[in-house]
Amino acid sequence: MAVKLSKAQKKINYDKKLCRLLEEYSQVLVVAADNVGSNQLQGIRKGLRGESIVLMGKNTMMKRTIKLHAENTGNKGVLNLVSLLVGNVGLIFTKGDLKEVREEVAKYKVGAPARVGLIAPIDVVVPPGNTGLDPSQTSFFQVLNIPTKINKGTVEIITPVELIKKGDKVGSSEAALLSKLGIRPFSYGLLVQSVYDDGSVFSPEVLDLTEEDLVQKFASGLSVVAAMSMALSFPTLAGAPHMFINAYKNVLSLAVATEYTYPQAEKVKEYLKVRGPPSLLLFGRPILTC
């Protein structure tokens, strides 16, 4: 016969478990769990088994344990998790690839009906077509100003209608109509809100960045540094190659415009004898070699 634990013992066990996870794992996904059922959560746990652990609990209890763990171990980085524990949230501790874990969690979204009083997470549009409802049901459509016609003894919606806008509360008429049409417009699951990685916290959108994106952003930043370096005449590693090239252009222009020469300039002078003397730049100003 299993021994029933007291509330105090349950809190102690929970504290130990959370502290152990904070020691073993350096990566945590903070997820919103609104409208997620226990069966759905159990399925997510099974899908992540082996590389990740889902931990739910009261925010106050989690905050308290995290603060005590930071105080006892000196790991102040975990305190960044405290401010993220707002609303109905949970923690997913993982040693796997963060992007892959997020994608695995997203697989467990389930469709849900529009219940009265819920805040719509998306726009709900009723498509045109035959509803299969008999003409006595037209009152539902009239209340919601949905254009219909009777076709072969059933109600047919003529044009697509935006029934509910994102952020609006679902009314009783909208909920009843969607139920009659068999439409389950919403889907719910664990939604990743923030990513914690060894003391750093960032948005989950960062996980979508590829190596090409990072290279492009780095190159863009490097070009800005080089441009500022050139404009201010302040040498930097980014601007140094451009400065050397511009300096060499000035030396070459001077050699072409005068009798002064050096081996590299001889090749240019030989070329100009054949092609003719073009306009050159000396210290950023045009000169004519005549």
Side-chain angles (χ1 to χ4, degrees), residues 8 52-53 73 76 105 112 119 133 142 144 155 180-181 183 195 201 209 228 238 254 265 284-285:
S52 304
I53 296 177
T73 62
K76 302 300 182 182
V105 170
I119 303 299
L133 300 176
Q142 291 172 354
L144 297 168
V155 179
K180 286 181 177 293
L181 297 177
I183 297 176
V195 180
V201 176
L209 292 174
M228 290 183 63
L254 188 63
R285 297 179 180 179

Side-chain angles (χ1 to χ4, degrees), residues 73-257:
T73 62
N75 182 9
K76 302 300 182 182
V78 295
L79 292 175
N80 291 328
L81 285 169
V82 174
S83 61
L84 304 177
L85 301 177
V86 179
N88 186 17
V89 297
L91 303 175
I92 298 179
F93 295 85
T94 182
K95 293 181 180 179
D97 183 88
L98 291 170
K99 185 178 181 181
E100 292 179 359
V101 174
R102 185 187 63 168
E103 292 173 350
E104 182 66 26
V105 170
K107 293 178 182 178
Y108 292 89
K109 284 188 176 181
V110 297
R115 296 189 179 90
V116 178
L118 280 179
I119 303 299
I122 58 171
D123 294 331
V124 178
V125 178
V126 178
N130 198 305
T131 64
L133 300 176
D134 61 79
S136 64
Q137 304 292 324
T138 53
S139 60
F140 283 102
F141 300 95
Q142 291 172 354
V143 170
L144 297 168
N145 296 320
I146 298 176
T148 60
K149 66 179 181 179
I150 305 302
N151 184 16
K152 297 180 180 179
T154 57
V155 179
E156 181 177 326
I157 298 175
I158 300 174
T159 58
V161 177
E162 186 178 47
L163 188 63
I164 308 171
K165 290 185 178 181
K166 181 180 178 180
D168 290 348
K169 277 189 177 182
V170 179
S172 57
S173 298
E174 291 89 346
L177 177 61
L178 291 171
S179 178
K180 286 181 177 293
L181 297 177
I183 297 176
R184 298 167 66 90
F186 305 144
S187 60
Y188 296 108
L190 294 182
L191 178 64
V192 178
Q193 291 184 330
S194 302
V195 180
Y196 170 90
D197 189 357
D198 199 18
S200 301
V201 176
F202 50 88
S203 169
E205 283 76 15
V206 174
L207 301 178
D208 296 323
L209 292 174
T210 63
E211 290 187 5
E212 290 75 14
D213 295 328
L214 295 176
V215 170
Q216 183 178 358
K217 288 182 179 296
F218 179 79
S220 177
L222 197 63
S223 65
V224 171
V225 173
M228 290 183 63
S229 175
M230 297 292 293
L232 299 174
S233 298
F234 182 82
T236 63
L237 287 176
H242 303 282
M243 290 181 173
F244 284 124
I245 291 173
N246 288 341
Y248 180 75
K249 286 180 180 179
N250 290 334
V251 173
L252 183 60
S253 298
L254 188 63
V256 171

Side-chain angles (χ1 to χ4, degrees), residues 19-95:
C19 287
R20 177 177 56 82
L21 293 174
L22 290 171
E23 289 178 1
E24 293 182 7
Y25 295 84
S26 61
Q27 298 181 142
V28 184
L29 298 178
V30 181
V31 294
D34 292 331
N35 301 299
V36 178
S38 57
N39 291 335
Q40 185 180 358
L41 190 59
Q42 188 65 24
I44 296 173
R45 283 194 168 103
K46 288 182 180 179
L48 297 176
R49 187 171 295 166
E51 65 175 14
S52 304
I53 296 177
V54 181
L55 182 69
M56 307 298 294
K58 292 183 178 180
N59 291 348
T60 53
M61 189 180 298
M62 288 193 286
K63 289 179 180 179
R64 173 183 168 277
T65 302
I66 291 172
K67 290 177 181 178
L68 288 175
H69 178 77
E71 184 178 337
N72 295 332
T73 62
N75 182 9
K76 302 300 182 182
V78 295
L79 292 175
N80 291 328
L81 285 169
V82 174
S83 61
L84 304 177
L85 301 177
V86 179
N88 186 17
V89 297
L91 303 175
I92 298 179
F93 295 85
T94 182
K95 293 181 180 179

